Amino acid sequence: MALKLYDLCGSNPDLRFSPYCWRTKLALAQKGLACETIPWRFTEREAVGRHGSDKVPVLLDGDRAVRESWDIAEYLEDSYPDRPSLFGGEGGRALARFVNAWADGVVMAGLVRLVISDIPALLDPTDRDYFIASREARFGTSLDRVTADREQAVGGFRDSLLPLRLVLRRQPFLHGAAPGYADAAVFGPFQWARVVSPFAVLAPDDAVHAWCERMLDAHGGIARAMPARAA
Amino acid sequence: MALKLYDLCGSNPDLRFSPYCWRTKLALAQKGLACETIPWRFTEREAVGRHGSDKVPVLLDGDRAVRESWDIAEYLEDSYPDRPSLFGGEGGRALARFVNAWADGVVMAGLVRLVISDIPALLDPTDRDYFIASREARFGTSLDRVTADREQAVGGFRDSLLPLRLVLRRQPFLHGAAPGYADAAVFGPFQWARVVSPFAVLAPDDAVHAWCERMLDAHGGIARAMPARAA
């Protein structure tokens, strides 16, 4: 049963930057599951629409389609129980939901305001028009204005990472001695920022920065194999 | 082996409000462990100093003294493994650290700015002088000024609870179907605010408010047995 994943790409089909697809790819790698990725662009609605979705990730496992990164993680944990555990037990699964929600509401929401204006240049013309129009409608202003004060705003973002920083002073990964799905959930947004923008979202002496370096090397280094955006 | 817990009290020795002691008392209750509490005031340094601490909680288990609410939780989990688990496995233990850090850095830090000026009236004169002097030094201003804008500031505090709110829409407790130590870690600060202040830190229609009500009833209702501060 071959696994396939619809994976967001830029005008360059090898450029893969979706934070949610990175969560799924790291989960697949932790489980040791091979998966073919299918490059997908924002405006290719039909390709994922036939699987009941309007966005990625969409995982195909034989005849079954699974949508949403969190649901995919639970699906992989339950369908491949003999593989390494993403959650480390039911307590870990319940709390990984919280970490995932924190990653969405604090990490991703904070990073968007630092890097989103760097994304349009990576997209092909059709996707670019869609992306700019939909995101400007969401923010109520131009993408350049969203990130215009990022040199000042980055301080507040770094402050918001305090809970992560405190834990990483005591253990190398959120999951403990080795990375688990909670690490993938938080790292996905950082990998997205790294791939789409040259802006330094973390100070180099931050414990969170050192953890990102460990995540880049985790699971055979699949995250590091995707180049960072050049300055 | 009788368990004893030094537990912060007000001028009324029955008034118990430390958020960190509440974490420990909820953990003990979840484990089904009986524990005698010893009322303790901020300025009774000698009582805890002989156990190597300058604050509470301090748990005495026979000849052993355990300090710091997190370390006490790990001690209880490891020393009483046949009792209900606080963490639900190693993944849950690792991520409970993160929830605990978030509870300290976001929930407790946010609540302090809403309710701290209501505390001195609850303390006896010696403790009151110590408390005001030490906290004013920390904030660099009077406690009344810290909370002066709380009617406006409460909105930002409630917004900061989004990750918790998102999870509680999907499951009744952070730990899942039943409360675990992660719930105690986050609820401790809410119980503290409830006992020391009549200020409404949560809107009544908030999913976090409903969860607080469930936590008040959890483990035999030990949290609800402590009266809320009257308006």
Side-chain angles (χ1 to χ4, degrees):
Chain A
M1 282 236 283
L3 292 163
K4 295 183 184 182
L5 179 72
Y6 286 97
D7 189 16
L8 182 67
C9 69
S11 57
N12 172 355
D14 294 332
L15 185 80
R16 307 297 176 87
F17 55 94
S18 161
Y20 311 106
C21 292
W22 274 107
R23 288 174 175 169
T24 297
K25 287 181 283 186
L26 289 162
L28 287 160
Q30 193 192 336
K31 284 275 186 198
L33 294 166
C35 181
E36 175 192 345
T37 64
I38 306 165
W40 179 86
R41 296 195 174 95
F42 286 113
T43 47
E44 293 173 356
R45 295 304 176 93
E46 200 189 337
V48 293
R50 77 174 77 110
H51 301 298
S53 187
D54 61 355
K55 56 183 189 273
V56 290
V58 174
L59 180 73
L60 305 180
D61 190 356
D63 291 339
R64 176 147 184 189
V66 192
R67 296 161 288 277
E68 302 274 357
S69 57
W70 175 263
D71 292 340
I72 292 171
E74 291 207 285
Y75 171 80
L76 292 174
E77 185 78 344
D78 295 337
S79 302
Y80 298 93
D82 297 337
R83 302 276 181 151
S85 173
L86 301 178
F87 300 127
E90 285 310 300
R93 184 191 298 235
L95 297 189
R97 273 188 200 274
F98 177 81
V99 176
N100 195 70
W102 181 80
D104 287 345
V106 175
V107 181
M108 191 63 198
L111 286 172
V112 161
R113 296 189 163 272
L114 302 178
V115 306
I116 195 169
S117 59
D118 293 324
I119 293 180
L122 300 172
L123 306 179
D124 77 3
T126 309
D127 262 28
R128 188 182 306 149
D129 292 346
Y130 157 78
F131 185 84
I132 292 173
S134 61
R135 269 55 175 182
E136 287 190 349
R138 190 180 300 171
F139 286 103
T141 187
S142 74
L143 301 189
D144 282 341
R145 285 215 181 161
V146 170
T147 62
D149 70 342
R150 66 184 179 183
E151 294 289 351
Q152 290 73 50
V154 71
F157 169 72
R158 292 173 182 175
D159 288 348
S160 76
L161 304 176
L162 179 64
L164 177 59
R165 192 172 295 125
L166 290 175
V167 172
L168 293 174
R169 283 181 192 156
R170 295 185 66 158
Q171 58 197 42
F173 295 98
L174 275 171
H175 191 66
Y181 191 72
D183 295 275
V186 179
F187 179 70
F190 283 106
Q191 170 75 338
W192 169 78
R194 170 182 170 269
V195 172
V196 302
S197 175
F199 184 71
V201 301
L202 295 169
D205 61 349
D206 189 339
V208 179
H209 186 280
W211 166 80
C212 280
E213 292 294 312
R214 291 193 289 277
M215 287 302 295
L216 286 165
D217 292 329
H219 311 314
I222 64 162
R224 199 184 289 283
M226 178 62 52
R229 180 91 181 258
Chain B
M1 284 236 284
L3 291 163
K4 295 184 182 181
L5 178 71
Y6 285 97
D7 189 15
L8 184 66
C9 70
S11 57
N12 173 355
D14 293 334
L15 185 81
R16 309 295 176 91
F17 55 95
S18 160
Y20 311 105
C21 292
W22 274 106
R23 288 175 176 169
T24 297
K25 287 182 282 186
L26 289 162
L28 287 160
Q30 191 192 338
K31 284 277 185 196
L33 293 167
C35 182
E36 175 194 343
T37 63
I38 306 164
W40 178 86
R41 295 193 174 99
F42 285 113
T43 47
E44 293 173 355
R45 294 305 175 92
E46 201 189 339
V48 293
R50 77 175 78 111
H51 301 297
S53 187
D54 61 355
K55 55 184 190 270
V56 290
V58 173
L59 179 73
L60 305 181
D61 190 356
D63 291 338
R64 177 150 183 185
V66 191
R67 296 160 289 275
E68 302 275 356
S69 57
W70 175 264
D71 291 340
I72 292 170
E74 290 206 286
Y75 171 81
L76 292 173
E77 185 77 345
D78 295 336
S79 302
Y80 298 94
D82 297 338
R83 303 276 180 151
S85 174
L86 302 178
F87 300 126
E90 285 310 301
R93 184 191 298 235
L95 297 189
R97 273 189 201 272
F98 177 81
V99 176
N100 196 71
W102 181 81
D104 287 344
V106 175
V107 181
M108 189 64 198
L111 286 171
V112 162
R113 297 190 162 272
L114 302 177
V115 306
I116 195 167
S117 59
D118 294 323
I119 293 179
L122 300 171
L123 306 179
D124 75 6
T126 309
D127 262 28
R128 188 183 305 147
D129 291 346
Y130 157 78
F131 184 83
I132 292 173
S134 62
R135 270 53 176 181
E136 287 190 349
R138 190 180 298 171
F139 286 105
T141 187
S142 75
L143 300 189
D144 283 342
R145 284 215 181 161
V146 171
T147 62
D149 69 342
R150 66 185 181 184
E151 294 290 350
Q152 291 73 50
V154 71
F157 170 72
R158 292 172 182 175
D159 288 347
S160 76
L161 304 176
L162 179 63
L164 177 60
R165 193 172 292 123
L166 291 174
V167 171
L168 293 174
R169 283 182 191 153
R170 295 185 68 159
Q171 59 198 40
F173 295 98
L174 276 171
H175 191 66
Y181 191 73
D183 295 276
V186 179
F187 179 71
F190 283 107
Q191 170 76 340
W192 169 78
R194 169 182 171 271
V195 173
V196 302
S197 174
F199 184 71
V201 300
L202 295 169
D205 62 349
D206 189 338
V208 179
H209 186 280
W211 166 80
C212 280
E213 292 294 311
R214 292 193 290 278
M215 286 302 295
L216 286 165
D217 293 328
H219 312 313
I222 64 161
R224 199 184 291 282
M226 179 62 51
R229 179 91 182 257

